[in-house]
Amino acid sequence: MPKRALITGITGQDGSYLGEYLLSLGYEVWGLVRGQANPRKSRISRLAADLNFINGDLMDQASLVSAVDKVQPHEVYNLGAISFVPMSWEQPELVTEVNGMGVLRMLEAIRIVSGLSAPHRDHGSQIRFYQASSSEMFGKAIETPQSETTGFHPRSPYGVAKVYGHFITRNYRESFGMYAVSGMLFNHESPRRGAEFVTRKISLAVARIKLGLQDKLSLGNLDAVRDWGFAGDYVRAMHAMLQQEDPGDWVIGTGVMHTVRDAVQIAFDHVGLDWRDHVVIDPQLVRPAEVEILCADIGRASAALNWKPTVAFAELMQMMVESDVRQVTREHEYGDLLTAASW
Ligand code: NAP
Ligand code: GDD
């Protein structure tokens, strides 16, 4: 009998790669979809026709209990979140509800369906749980690189909510004996990345500038340093974490640092343009409390999970630019039928 997985956030970047990966491993894959006519559901259905869908929302406890009860998953991957950090200053309560309380609701759904009525270390559950924690939790990092033992100093309501999700996951592991793991993933990108994130904002703009459809690209802090990897690599790590004998917390990244300026330079260079002719700084895009530097120490993950990234940063940016040149060309030729958000 195939293993069953339930993925929240199936319509997002990571959900799409994880869904495809688990299908390739022979899993029966169920994606939780919110809203009565979510347009991103058809996008992911086109990519992976074998996916199954179930309605639900991380804001709605009963819908999660019902989804877990119906699917009876062996593994639950909680990727659903409002993932764009600046939005968390505009709607902090909503982001806290979805990204923080949403984790508690999913853990409760597993607890209720597994019949764990009282906290007890030895009870356990047959359902393994993955929580999408984030390097944003390190925030104003107290050391570089950051590892599984580095303390947290989140800098945004998003980061604070992720810290809650991280610790409630650990708490259900310790209180109920649940197999609950937390993946502290550093930034990961792909041609499927949302257009609001800096790498995709750059690759889309470079494509449009190259094709003569735009001239300027407005950005905020070019000095921010991130450890960027390829999303397709990172979903393999999520799966590997749930196959270990014991649950734990894991840091996943590349261990290589680049600035936003590096990303800009690589992307413009790739199409033969000078970024200085096109990039303008918009102070409105500078964050009220910035995360200046993130870099992963992946010693533990590479040794114990036997995981390593396969796509270097320059290759990643070039892949995204090439994909967007193709997409923007099609969009331009065929009008509005294809939007910038289509894969
Ligand atoms: P993404 O592309 O923004 O996808 C987010 C997903 O969450 C979407 O499928 C969205 O569904 C869903 N969602 C939003 N609100 C929801 C709700 N109330 N109930 C259920 N689902 C909801 O994000 P991503 O890049 O794939 O990231 C996946 C997860 O990893 C997120 O939790 C993110 O915070 C975390 N993370 C990402 C990175 C990274 O660099 N990508 C790094 C560390 C951690 P709709 O279609 O309904 O909007
Ligand atoms: N989005 C954006 N837009 N970022 C900009 C811009 C701009 O115009 N200009 C400079 N930046 C800088 C931001 O200030 C930040 O330092 C860096 O680029 C990366 O921003 P994002 O791509 O928006 O990602 P993020 O680091 O805030 O968050 C992503 O990674 C986290 C893991 O570290 C998201 O995927 C989060 O969900 C994830 O948890």
Side-chain angles (χ1 to χ4, degrees):
M1 209 184 47
K3 270 193 181 175
R4 275 181 307 281
L6 173 63
I7 302 174
T8 72
I10 190 74
T11 57
Q13 171 189 256
D14 291 7
S16 74
Y17 283 105
L18 181 64
E20 285 175 325
Y21 180 59
L22 295 181
L23 286 172
S24 79
L25 297 179
Y27 276 67
E28 180 181 314
V29 183
W30 289 78
L32 187 92
V33 176
R34 73 181 171 132
Q36 67 181 47
N38 188 326
R40 302 210 282 176
K41 180 179 166 189
S42 49
R43 187 173 70 171
I44 177 73
S45 308
R46 279 200 304 276
L47 267 185
D50 291 338
L51 284 177
N52 303 284
F53 296 101
I54 188 156
N55 293 324
D57 195 307
L58 288 165
M59 300 282 282
D60 177 359
Q61 178 72 72
S63 75
L64 301 179
V65 173
S66 164
V68 173
D69 193 36
K70 177 167 177 207
V71 173
Q72 293 286 321
H74 301 90
E75 296 171 6
V76 172
Y77 295 85
N78 186 37
L79 310 185
I82 295 172
S83 72
F84 187 46
V85 171
M87 194 165 162
S88 73
W89 282 290
E90 287 169 15
Q91 291 182 274
E93 189 179 334
L94 178 64
V95 169
T96 302
E97 275 291 337
V98 176
N99 299 7
M101 289 294 287
V103 186
L104 174 65
R105 293 189 192 102
M106 188 46 94
L107 287 163
E108 277 289 277
I110 294 171
R111 183 187 70 76
I112 290 165
V113 172
S114 304
L116 304 177
S117 53
H120 191 285
R121 183 72 190 91
D122 302 327
H123 282 178
S125 158
Q126 295 306 308
I127 304 173
R128 296 188 168 203
F129 176 76
Y130 173 87
Q131 167 56 17
S133 285
S134 165
S135 53
E136 270 285 313
M137 300 188 306
F138 298 118
K140 193 172 164 63
I142 59 173
E143 61 182 359
T144 298
Q146 297 88 40
S147 74
E148 287 82 0
T149 56
T150 303
F152 300 140
H153 184 151
R155 295 276 277 169
S156 59
Y158 169 93
V160 174
K162 283 287 179 183
V163 170
Y164 174 80
H166 180 80
F167 280 118
I168 199 68
T169 298
R170 184 184 286 181
N171 181 260
Y172 270 51
R173 183 199 309 158
E174 294 173 356
S175 306
F176 294 100
M178 277 191 191
Y179 192 108
V181 316
S182 180
M184 293 177 268
L185 271 50
F186 284 60
N187 299 49
H188 44 280
E189 322 293 309
S190 73
R192 300 179 193 171
R193 186 59 144 151
E196 62 275 38
F197 300 95
V198 77
T199 54
R200 185 80 196 286
K201 183 175 173 181
I202 295 167
S203 64
L204 264 171
V206 164
R208 290 180 59 78
I209 292 169
K210 180 67 183 172
L211 295 166
L213 302 171
Q214 174 177 332
D215 186 42
K216 297 294 178 201
L217 164 62
S218 297
L219 291 172
N221 177 14
L222 297 188
D223 295 321
V225 173
R226 289 290 183 279
D227 173 343
W228 279 289
F230 172 54
D233 283 340
Y234 288 37
V235 300
R236 288 189 289 106
M238 295 176 190
H239 176 256
M241 287 176 212
L242 289 196
Q243 315 313 311
Q244 301 305 299
E245 196 166 327
D246 296 313
D249 303 327
W250 302 88
V251 158
I252 297 293
T254 69
V256 180
M257 290 182 273
H258 285 282
T259 60
V260 173
R261 187 178 290 97
D262 294 337
V264 167
Q265 173 135 25
I266 292 166
F268 277 89
D269 280 358
H270 194 55
V271 295
L273 294 171
D274 186 341
W275 68 272
R276 289 173 196 80
D277 296 335
H278 302 282
V279 171
V280 291
I281 302 302
D282 178 353
Q284 301 278 356
L285 294 170
V286 176
R287 299 182 179 179
E290 175 67 293
V291 171
E292 300 289 352
I293 181 165
L294 291 175
C295 181
D297 173 350
I298 54 169
R300 178 164 180 262
S302 38
L305 300 179
N306 195 23
W307 177 89
K308 61 175 191 312
T310 66
V311 182
F313 180 61
E315 196 187 335
L316 174 63
M317 284 309 302
Q318 290 161 0
M319 175 205 302
M320 293 174 70
V321 168
E322 285 170 19
S323 167
D324 279 331
V325 168
R326 284 193 298 275
Q327 183 174 306
V328 174
T329 305
R330 279 200 313 269
E331 191 186 323
H332 191 52
E333 282 173 5
Y334 298 109
D336 289 338
L337 287 176
L338 293 162
T339 68
S342 70
W343 291 338

